[in-house]
Amino acid sequence: MTQLTTDIGEEYLIDEEQDGDTVTFLLFDNDTDSIGEEDDLADITTEPDDAEDYDRQSSSVSTAQLAGSGGGDYGYQTDADVVFSVSDNTETVDAIGFVATFESSVAGDSSPEDHLIGVDELASSLDLTDFDEIEYEAGDLEHVVSGS
């Protein structure tokens, strides 16, 4: 799974305390959106329709040396299960966005706002018509801080 930390996400990782913070997760089609380091939440245009049964999901996160996909690097992981209900959705998704609420100087905020801090590509595209739920157990969603 390929990870990306946005420029605003880099600010978040340096300036904010992640341990115990709440991060929101969303599904989207990065093949279409092509999110890059300079992008933010408004640049995601392919999130599933929330008029159906999909909603963004949140979990507190803990910082740790990550043994899973982190390969021993430092980062943060979810403290709780993250379950997306998608039984009425028909979109295809291939990535998960990580969203944090904070006041970003990079974005020029004057108060806390929701910002896209990172993206993890899924192992493969998922046609949501094939699923009722997409579930990640506590600790399965992690974002690695890496120098490479």
Side-chain angles (χ1 to χ4, degrees):
M1 184 182 308
T2 303
Q3 285 193 340
L4 167 81
T5 302
T6 63
D7 291 340
I8 292 172
E10 291 171 358
E11 176 188 19
Y12 172 78
L13 291 171
I14 291 170
D15 291 349
E16 302 294 320
E17 173 61 49
Q18 292 89 48
D19 200 34
D21 199 8
T22 297
V23 173
T24 300
F25 304 93
L26 61 92
L27 300 170
F28 70 103
D29 182 6
N30 198 38
D31 191 42
T32 299
D33 288 336
S34 299
I35 297 299
E37 289 183 12
E38 70 286 350
D39 290 321
D40 200 0
L41 192 54
D43 296 301
I44 293 179
T45 62
T46 58
E47 186 174 8
D49 187 352
D50 64 1
E52 294 161 0
D53 62 349
Y54 168 86
D55 284 310
R56 293 178 182 173
Q57 300 298 309
S58 298
S59 172
S60 61
V61 296
S62 295
T63 54
Q65 187 171 7
L66 303 171
S69 65
D73 286 335
Y74 189 77
Y76 59 87
Q77 62 189 7
T78 52
D79 293 332
D81 293 353
V82 174
V83 181
F84 295 99
S85 294
V86 294
S87 61
D88 293 332
N89 290 85
T90 59
E91 297 88 355
T92 298
V93 297
D94 63 6
I96 296 177
F98 292 66
V99 177
T101 304
F102 71 106
E103 189 173 328
S104 168
S105 61
V106 172
D109 295 343
S110 58
S111 62
E113 301 284 339
D114 288 345
H115 292 288
L116 181 66
I117 57 173
V119 172
D120 281 358
E121 290 185 5
L122 302 176
S124 63
S125 293
L126 301 177
D127 181 344
L128 297 183
T129 59
D130 296 336
F131 300 90
D132 289 329
E133 293 182 338
I134 298 174
E135 180 175 1
Y136 296 92
E137 293 182 5
D140 282 353
L141 293 177
E142 48 184 43
H143 197 78
V144 177
V145 178
S146 176
S148 55

